[in-house]
Amino acid sequence: MGTQQLESVPEPKYWHLKTVLSEALDSDFSVGEILPNERDLAARFGVARATLRQALEQLELEGRLQRRRGVGTTVAPPRVGVAVGAEQHAWPGTVGDAWQAVDCADSAPPAAVADILETEPGEQVHVVRRSRVSHGQPVAAELLYVPADSVPALSAIEPSGAARARAVLRELQCLELEGQDRSVELGSARADDARELDRLPGAPVLVVTTRFFAEGRAAAVSLATYRADTCRLTFGDSGGVEIHHGPERRAS
């Protein structure tokens, strides 16, 4: 990447810098290669470090760069393909579900989730934690909130950990699923999600909220956090949500 001074352009300077950097990633860097530090990059392009940082953050959001603990900023690999939704509605944990149960604990859900589940403030629910790996790398972490009255037959002496999580999922599947809906929004990785997804806290993520309906109410709520640098979500005619490979990138 050679020295290049930026000319005056009508668009924000960081946006023009992002375009220049993106072209350099294609021609001068290979996947996984570590970029020079911010001070050197800012000097090469004749911009303030704040401008450079905005450009780098945008490239990270677009999946071109990754910030790795103890390593620095590296060139990201192409996005992997992972199915998020299916044409047929199904409870979590049914056949074909790619998520792996990790743990289960009882705690009060966030206020927004409690409103959806219509639970009392501070009332504890079962919180199933699951993870998802694709192509050998973690791509998503999920918290599934299940009120006690959705799984009334769940024994209080069921084992803990992943076994407890699977028991909650089995009992949930005893309900007749009447429907589900899904929403997607951009968010920032919380400390727990960042650790599980091998990201830095505050890194951009895609949060998929799914409501599962049974007996005329929301019987469970899933908050799935996907790596924004890894996943590109598209919506098909079926109403399902899928993640597809991004365009192939050449790097030398």
Side-chain angles (χ1 to χ4, degrees):
M1 187 187 300
T3 301
Q4 183 173 353
Q5 298 294 324
L6 299 179
E7 298 177 357
S8 296
V9 289
E11 59 194 5
K13 182 173 289 188
Y14 84 88
W15 194 264
H16 180 59
L17 176 59
K18 186 214 72 166
T19 302
V20 174
L21 286 171
S22 182
E23 293 173 353
L25 294 179
D26 288 331
S27 61
D28 299 340
F29 288 86
S30 57
V31 170
E33 187 171 349
I34 303 174
L35 267 62
N37 61 45
E38 290 185 1
R39 178 179 300 175
D40 291 342
L41 284 177
R44 291 185 185 188
F45 289 93
V47 297
R49 292 179 67 177
T51 300
L52 174 69
R53 194 169 293 115
Q54 284 182 294
L56 294 177
E57 290 175 351
Q58 185 64 38
L59 288 170
E60 182 185 12
L61 182 61
E62 294 177 3
R64 300 304 313 274
L65 298 175
Q66 292 179 345
R67 288 185 297 167
R68 300 172 58 191
R69 292 186 182 87
V71 176
T73 301
T74 63
V75 180
R79 289 181 170 94
V80 297
V82 185
V84 174
E87 293 187 19
Q88 300 297 322
H89 291 174
W91 287 113
T94 53
V95 176
D97 189 340
W99 292 87
Q100 297 297 316
V102 176
D103 199 359
C104 181
D106 291 348
S107 65
V113 174
D115 287 343
I116 296 173
L117 295 174
E118 298 181 348
T119 56
E120 296 295 328
E123 179 182 342
Q124 292 193 338
V125 301
H126 303 298
V127 184
V128 175
R129 186 162 60 91
R130 302 198 298 167
S131 65
R132 190 162 186 181
V133 175
S134 179
H135 293 68
Q137 65 176 329
V139 295
E142 180 195 51
L143 293 177
L144 179 68
Y145 297 91
V146 184
D149 57 5
S150 291
V151 287
L154 183 69
S155 170
I157 59 174
E158 287 284 358
S160 60
R164 176 73 171 181
R166 289 191 291 269
V168 172
L169 295 176
R170 284 196 302 270
E171 291 302 319
L172 191 59
Q173 292 162 26
C174 294
L175 292 175
E176 182 179 352
L177 181 62
E178 298 171 351
Q180 66 188 59
D181 61 25
R182 185 179 287 113
S183 63
V184 183
E185 60 185 331
L186 182 65
S188 300
R190 300 173 303 135
D192 290 347
D193 292 333
R195 184 166 48 252
E196 188 166 349
L197 298 176
D198 192 25
R199 304 289 282 140
L200 294 175
V205 293
L206 295 169
V207 181
V208 180
T209 301
T210 306
R211 301 186 301 174
F212 299 90
F213 296 97
E215 300 178 349
R217 61 181 177 85
V221 174
S222 162
L223 298 182
T225 302
Y226 287 81
R227 290 178 52 153
D229 64 320
T230 301
C231 307
R232 178 168 61 88
L233 277 62
T234 59
F235 295 81
D237 294 337
S238 66
V241 183
E242 295 183 351
I243 301 174
H244 298 282
H245 284 285
E248 293 294 329
R249 301 188 183 116
R250 296 182 179 179
S252 57

